[in-house]
């Protein structure tokens, strides 16, 4: 994807009306600190347009990044942050559910999982919840640069088995440090989820 322009067009909190966008949306989910903002920045070729937080869990908003007036990258609020109250967790769940159920143009969900570790209980819950909402998420195994090359296959298998992925589910290893995996993610988005006839 050639990035011509990007714009953080809409930020939605728990009480916001969600936008009724007319371009395809690609959403990114994952626990706080897994590397969602870093991935979105890498996809947009920016260092820090999407905030990379030192204080994880603070972002309880859904952020819509308009890319080239052609599509949206959607940053979903992270889960699994210990300092969030029960009430906030419920509000968080309702906001995401409202989005997943309500968006007319949501084409795909990418679920980010740290490649170094066994998926957590929260990761497993999130995965089965997304599947329960009728989506088949693509997995991005983040922080690829943190493990040895020789360990990649073993870790990918650990993620696949830990989440008990639906057969055929894609796992794309990715590093925001080296940008490995970036082109593959864009190729997948461009070939599968963008209706290019619309923009010609
Ligand atoms: N080494 C390494 N660090 C990463 C990678 N992705 C994110 N990080 C770091 O992990 C922390 C959380 O990243 P961030 O993108 O803010 O995570 P988010 O909470 O999921 O949006 C930051 O310190 C990032 O620099 C990666 O691929 N490799
Ligand atoms: Mg973030």
């Amino acid at each position: 994807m050639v990035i011509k322009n990007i714009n953080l067009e809409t930020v939605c909190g728990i009480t916001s009306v969600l936008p009724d966008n007319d371009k395809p949306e690609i959403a990114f989910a994952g626990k706080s600190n897994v590397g969602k903002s870093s991935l979105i920045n890498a996809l947009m070729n920016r260092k820090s347009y999407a905030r990379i937080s030192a204080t994880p869990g603070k972002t309880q908003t859904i952020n819509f990044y308009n890319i080239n007036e052609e599509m949206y990258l959607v940053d979903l609020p992270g889960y699994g942050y210990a300092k969030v109250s029960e009430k906030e967790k419920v509000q968080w769940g309702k906001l995401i559910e409202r989005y997943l159920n309500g968006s007319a143009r949501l084409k795909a969900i990418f679920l980010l999982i740290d490649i170094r570790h066994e998926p957590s209980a929260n990761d497993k819950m999130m995965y089965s919840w997304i599947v329960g909402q009728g989506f088949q998420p693509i997995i991005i195994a983040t922080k690829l640069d943190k493990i040895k090359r020789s360990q990649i296959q073993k870790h990918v298998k650990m993620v696949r088995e830990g989440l008990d992925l639906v057969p055929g589910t894609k796992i794309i290893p990715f590093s925001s440090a080296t940008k490995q995996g970036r082109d593959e993610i864009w190729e997948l988005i461009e070939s599968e989820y963008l209706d290019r006839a619309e923009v010609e």
Side-chain angles (χ1 to χ4, degrees):
M1 177 71 113
V2 178
I3 306 295
K4 288 173 237 151
N5 53 71
I6 58 174
N7 177 29
L8 174 52
E9 189 175 284
T10 316
V11 175
C12 292
I14 48 164
T15 58
S16 306
V17 175
L18 291 161
D20 187 13
N21 291 324
D22 63 354
K23 305 284 190 305
E25 297 169 351
I26 306 291
F28 298 88
K31 72 172 182 231
S32 305
N33 229 25
V34 70
K36 271 185 304 116
S37 300
S38 302
L39 168 65
I40 290 171
N41 281 325
L43 291 174
M44 299 189 300
N45 294 335
R46 296 299 174 100
K47 274 212 169 69
S48 58
Y49 191 84
R51 205 155 43 92
I52 299 175
S53 74
T55 47
K58 285 273 178 258
T59 334
Q60 294 301 313
T61 54
I62 301 182
N63 298 344
F64 294 81
Y65 296 90
N66 183 322
I67 310 296
N68 297 346
E69 303 288 337
E70 184 182 0
M71 62 164 302
Y72 293 89
L73 298 178
V74 180
D75 194 356
L76 298 174
Y79 54 84
Y81 184 53
K83 285 181 190 160
V84 169
S85 72
E86 228 21 73
K87 188 182 164 209
E88 284 170 308
K89 282 181 194 163
V90 170
Q91 289 173 330
W92 172 92
K94 283 188 179 153
L95 174 63
I96 296 194
E97 195 169 328
R98 208 150 55 81
Y99 173 62
L100 298 190
N101 288 326
S103 170
R105 300 305 309 269
L106 176 57
K107 298 291 180 189
I109 302 177
F110 287 83
L111 176 61
L112 279 64
I113 303 287
D114 190 322
I115 199 165
R116 293 173 293 177
H117 312 299
E118 291 259 2
S120 67
N122 279 326
D123 289 331
K124 293 178 196 182
M125 260 192 303
M126 190 66 192
Y127 175 69
S128 38
W129 190 64
I130 293 171
V131 170
Q133 301 284 323
F135 292 90
Q136 218 201 88
I138 301 128
I139 308 299
I140 297 181
T142 64
K143 311 200 181 183
L144 176 60
D145 57 288
K146 296 275 199 180
I147 62 169
K148 289 197 191 114
R149 202 175 262 272
S150 60
Q151 299 294 298
I152 297 173
Q153 282 319 310
K154 191 182 95 185
H155 282 251
V156 165
K157 186 163 179 268
M158 179 177 83
V159 169
R160 184 176 292 285
E161 289 174 358
L163 291 175
D164 194 16
L165 293 178
V166 172
T169 300
K170 244 194 179 71
I171 301 183
I172 304 176
F174 172 77
S175 164
S176 65
T178 66
K179 309 293 184 285
Q180 202 180 327
R182 178 187 180 278
D183 292 348
E184 192 183 338
I185 295 167
W186 265 132
E187 274 160 27
L188 180 67
I189 293 173
E190 292 187 271
S191 65
E192 300 284 327
Y193 305 116
L194 299 190
D195 188 359
R196 279 290 161 80
E198 245 172 48
V199 291
E200 298 309 332

